[in-house]
Amino acid sequence: MEPIFSPPLHRQRHQFVIDFVKRIKPQKVLDLGCAECSLLKQLKFHHEIELLVGMDIDGAKLKRKMYELAPMITDYLQPSNDQLRIELYQGSVTQRDARLRGFDLVTSIELIEHLTLADVDRFSEVVFGYMTPVDVIVSTPNFEFNPLFPGNAGFRHHDHKFEWSRAEFKSWALKVCLDYGYEVEFTGVGQAPPGQQESVGFCSQIGVFHRLGGREAYNMLFCDGAENMFSYTLLYSKNYPSLQDNNILSRVLVTEVLSGAEELRRRWEEKTGKRDAEGDGEEHHRASEQHLEMEEKQTAACGEAIRILVQYQEVEDGELFLTDGQGHQESGKVRRCVCVPLAALWSRYPKVRALAGSLSNLRQLLKDHPDVALSQDGSAVLLNDQEQEEKEEPDDLEDSGYAEARQCSHSVEPEEDWDANVGSETYGFMSGQVGDVFG
């Protein structure tokens, strides 16, 4: 049957749902009889959806397909500002479960024809009377279209218990509206050949139900205590990484700040190195300096050009103390660090601005982070002076205790956990590559 339609009929049904989602922008969507999860896999890319749920009676099929709904590596490397949670349940549409109540949109695509007529009544009560979604999309085969299929004698699938004509579908839909407080629009997908659309209708007929009163109205046609019913089995649950999670936001922000600070430090080192070498290729160096000075003017923050200063800091018992080069403490080790003003990072890097929201918030978010060293007044990021590190670096790093001596290191080390819901394999990949991607 499918090859006679272009695109195939199942894609037309799914596209109808997707177009509806684009138009009404629901936050909570439930697909009943989700089977292969193919519709869910398309809906998860619509950012307005915050909760996406599938339910099917075939648990084995769900278990085979559920991992295809998992976040991709890029979702962890480049978290979205949107929130998305995906859940899959094994259960029957004839049973109630309080977790599936109050959705914005419920879809039932080619499902009810697999139920007995007695179960269709229970389906109506559960979906429209108990779940009480704002909108419902129901599609089912149009029996009047069947004679157009070559060699078809009977129902379209061996498991179909019935197939309704347009009048029968309309009769059922109008009764649902009367019983549970909805209104319905009739349409469909799968056009008949030219000249026959009026006589046979669509191949798949669709009813789009809207609850009277919209989001503010709640149909209370359920028994006392029914809200505590949990009939379905939760097979899969996954939160997608989101910048709404403070831990993820902090990690991404720190990565952007440190990579930006490294870039500005590198530019400063190139600039000062060229000045020291003046006279050797003087004309080339002068042109490079002019280009860099132009960039600095273009990235001014609050009217002040980017300034990258070399200052001194002392390390004593793991604490950093900033000095002006004249102060002295008998205990503590003096190390030279490059200070990159937060105002410079804020000015030059739009993603830092988008993540932090304000310069003061940027300072607050970085203040207590273990992978970031700030100046004493919190106005600059401190980076180790590479030239000094190279001079101090011993030949045998493993035996020298060099790692412990890097008291103002800026390297982002992997922590114990990226996200409570992220598997160990994904985290292992993340800890090694996230810096490269965001850099």
Side-chain angles (χ1 to χ4, degrees), residues 20-21 24-30 48-52 100-107 131-137 182 208-211 214-216 218:
F20 188 83
V21 166
I24 69 168
K25 302 186 183 307
Q27 294 182 340
K28 298 172 62 178
V29 177
L30 166 63
E48 61 273 4
I49 299 177
E50 297 181 0
L51 177 60
L52 184 60
L100 303 189
R101 301 190 71 227
F103 276 66
D104 299 314
L105 173 63
V106 170
T107 63
M131 292 181 179
T132 62
V134 177
D135 294 299
V136 183
I137 297 176
Y182 282 79
V208 181
F209 298 81
H210 309 283
R211 188 172 62 198
R215 298 176 185 273
E216 303 302 322
Y218 289 93

Side-chain angles (χ1 to χ4, degrees), residues 76-149:
Y76 291 105
L77 297 179
Q78 299 179 350
S80 168
N81 196 51
D82 305 307
Q83 301 182 79
L84 174 62
R85 180 176 180 83
I86 295 181
E87 296 176 349
L88 293 179
Y89 292 89
Q90 177 184 5
S92 169
V93 292
T94 64
Q95 295 178 314
R96 300 178 177 186
D97 191 297
R99 291 167 291 186
L100 303 189
R101 301 190 71 227
F103 276 66
D104 299 314
L105 173 63
V106 170
T107 63
S108 173
I109 308 302
E110 308 295 287
L111 169 64
I112 59 174
E113 64 273 9
H114 294 272
L115 306 175
T116 65
L117 291 177
D119 282 343
V120 170
D121 291 337
R122 284 188 281 270
F123 167 89
S124 302
E125 194 279 329
V126 169
V127 174
F128 296 94
Y130 179 75
M131 292 181 179
T132 62
V134 177
D135 294 299
V136 183
I137 297 176
V138 177
S139 81
T140 189
N142 171 18
F143 185 73
E144 296 173 74
F145 199 97
N146 288 358
L148 299 183
F149 292 119

Side-chain angles (χ1 to χ4, degrees), residues 218-332:
Y218 289 93
N219 194 328
M220 304 301 291
L221 297 177
F222 54 86
C223 300
D224 292 341
E227 290 195 44
N228 296 323
M229 296 182 65
F230 301 98
S231 303
Y232 303 157
T233 301
L234 179 63
L235 298 179
Y236 182 81
S237 177
K238 179 68 68 176
N239 284 323
Y240 269 56
S242 168
L243 294 175
Q244 300 295 322
D245 184 314
N246 288 335
N247 291 330
I248 294 178
L249 173 63
S250 176
R251 291 175 184 272
V252 175
L253 178 62
V254 166
T255 299
E256 290 295 320
V257 166
L258 293 179
S259 62
E262 282 287 0
E263 180 183 4
L264 294 181
R265 187 256 288 273
R266 176 180 56 79
R267 290 177 177 271
W268 172 79
E269 289 176 343
E270 290 176 353
K271 181 177 180 180
T272 55
K274 288 167 184 173
R275 283 176 176 168
D276 293 339
E278 188 172 0
D280 182 13
E282 181 176 350
E283 183 176 350
H284 172 73
H285 295 320
R286 187 180 300 115
S288 299
E289 288 183 6
Q290 290 174 351
H291 176 71
L292 183 59
E293 289 172 0
M294 182 179 299
E295 284 192 349
E296 289 177 344
K297 292 179 181 178
Q298 293 173 347
T299 56
C302 301
E304 181 181 6
I306 292 177
R307 296 179 296 108
I308 303 179
L309 309 174
V310 176
Q311 299 181 359
Y312 288 92
Q313 62 180 1
E314 293 182 354
V315 179
E316 181 181 16
D317 296 331
E319 297 292 334
L320 300 179
F321 298 90
L322 202 65
T323 73
D324 57 6
Q326 298 177 351
H328 177 71
Q329 292 183 0
E330 294 182 1
S331 61

